[in-house]
Amino acid sequence: MPNGEKTIEFEGVKYKIDISKKVSTAGDFDERINTAFVDKDMPEKFHEGIALHEIVERKFLKKGHSYQYSHNEAQKAELAFYKKKFGDAEGEKALIEEEALVLAMPGRKPPTRKKKEVSATPVPKIQSITLKAVIYEGKTHLIDNSNSLVGDIVDFYERKRIIYIDRDIPDWLFEGMAIYTIEERKLLKQGFSYEDANKEASKLELAYYVEKLGSQEAAQKAIGEELKIQSMKFAQDKKDLKDGERKVVNENVPR
């Protein structure tokens, strides 16, 4: 195998594990090249578990489940893997330890674009029909911002066309976040990694904000506001995990 790569087998398919680079979300998966990416600074004991998590998570996302449900199912598979590898008690401790490390990662990166790219990106068209729904590409999606989300500030239950947005997000950001999460999901279903899907979806979100708000600076500030709230949420998730108030595997998450 090339330097920095391992392999893991899942449901009869062998996947490469690439630990050669930084991964802002700790783990990622590019289905187009059958490769799971794990942050190069993650301890070796977590490499296979994180890779398995990313592979299983994508399987559920492609079926139209929400990210949180897919993440939860992936954690169940990961927990079973760690228990088999380390024993029941040590396996549970391993998952909690890994989760604490993941929550310390920056998560979604802010989009960066050169000036010449601004006009090159097509501006997405989205229509609000109420504060609680949007129409995008001819489809109506309900907006649910009644809850505080765990693990992210936006989620997409594609099967029921529900977009979950954290209750701390101001409503003027709903449309941009709806564009981002719908476009990201489309790319993930095509096999893109989170990193590449994030880049492309962020370009469209940024183009939308530029047109809506009138300038590149204002658009960057809008996405910066989203990421600021995301960072605060991650810090709270990490504190809740440390204080024992957050279950790593949650049985009650939106599908």
Side-chain angles (χ1 to χ4, degrees):
M1 295 295 294
N3 187 37
E5 289 184 357
K6 303 179 178 181
T7 62
I8 187 171
E9 189 168 321
F10 176 68
E11 294 184 340
V13 179
K14 186 174 288 187
Y15 300 90
K16 291 186 291 185
I17 303 175
D18 189 323
I19 54 171
S20 65
K21 65 178 185 177
K22 290 295 296 179
V23 180
S24 64
T25 51
D28 203 348
F29 178 45
D30 193 326
E31 192 175 11
R32 298 167 298 177
I33 55 174
N34 266 25
T35 300
F37 297 92
V38 179
D39 185 86
K40 67 184 183 65
D41 294 325
M42 272 286 166
E44 186 177 1
K45 67 185 282 189
F46 301 127
H47 290 175
E48 291 177 307
I50 291 174
L52 176 66
H53 179 110
E54 297 299 324
I55 294 163
V56 173
E57 184 175 273
R58 188 64 57 87
K59 174 184 174 183
F60 283 95
L61 280 176
K62 289 179 70 175
K63 291 180 179 179
H65 292 291
S66 68
Y67 166 77
Q68 189 57 58
Y69 179 80
S70 304
H71 176 76
N72 200 61
E73 292 301 304
Q75 283 198 317
K76 288 179 184 177
E78 193 176 2
L79 179 59
F81 172 80
Y82 283 142
K83 284 185 174 181
K84 183 177 181 180
K85 187 172 183 178
F86 302 121
D88 285 358
E90 289 302 313
E92 289 185 10
K93 284 172 62 177
L95 185 60
I96 291 172
E97 182 184 348
E98 179 208 292
E99 183 78 347
L101 292 172
V102 171
L103 287 170
M105 307 294 283
R108 177 186 167 194
K109 293 180 179 179
T112 56
R113 298 166 69 202
K114 299 175 182 177
K115 287 185 178 179
K116 66 180 181 180
E117 292 179 323
V118 175
S119 60
T121 301
V123 178
K125 302 298 181 184
I126 191 164
Q127 174 189 355
S128 289
I129 55 175
T130 70
L131 284 178
K132 298 294 183 181
V134 294
I135 299 173
Y136 187 58
E137 297 182 333
K139 296 179 181 178
T140 300
H141 302 273
L142 298 179
I143 300 288
D144 182 343
N145 71 316
S146 60
N147 295 298
S148 179
L149 303 188
V150 174
D152 212 332
I153 54 173
V154 62
D155 200 353
F156 185 26
Y157 185 175
E158 189 179 7
R159 286 184 167 197
K160 290 191 175 181
R161 293 186 192 165
I162 298 174
I163 298 171
Y164 296 97
I165 296 179
D166 191 273
R167 65 188 179 195
D168 290 337
I169 298 290
D171 58 19
W172 65 276
L173 293 172
F174 285 3
E175 292 175 352
M177 295 183 71
I179 287 169
Y180 171 84
T181 197
I182 293 168
E183 291 293 341
E184 181 197 47
R185 185 62 59 86
K186 284 196 292 186
L187 292 166
L188 292 175
K189 290 176 71 175
Q190 292 172 31
F192 281 64
S193 66
Y194 275 112
E195 181 179 7
D196 290 343
N198 168 50
K199 286 178 182 176
E200 295 306 311
S202 293
K203 286 180 184 178
L204 290 167
E205 183 184 19
L206 190 62
Y208 169 76
Y209 281 136
V210 169
E211 182 173 87
K212 179 181 180 180
L213 303 176
S215 73
Q216 177 83 359
E217 182 181 6
Q220 293 282 6
K221 285 181 68 175
I223 293 182
E225 182 68 19
E226 295 175 12
L227 298 181
K228 178 182 175 182
I229 297 172
Q230 180 194 63
S231 180
M232 292 168 57
K233 288 292 177 183
F234 282 3
Q236 184 61 48
D237 287 348
K238 188 176 181 181
K239 181 179 182 298
D240 290 345
L241 184 68
K242 183 178 179 182
D243 294 343
E245 296 177 7
R246 179 187 175 203
K247 284 185 66 177
V248 175
V249 176
N250 184 351
E251 296 301 328
N252 301 302
V253 296
R255 296 174 69 87

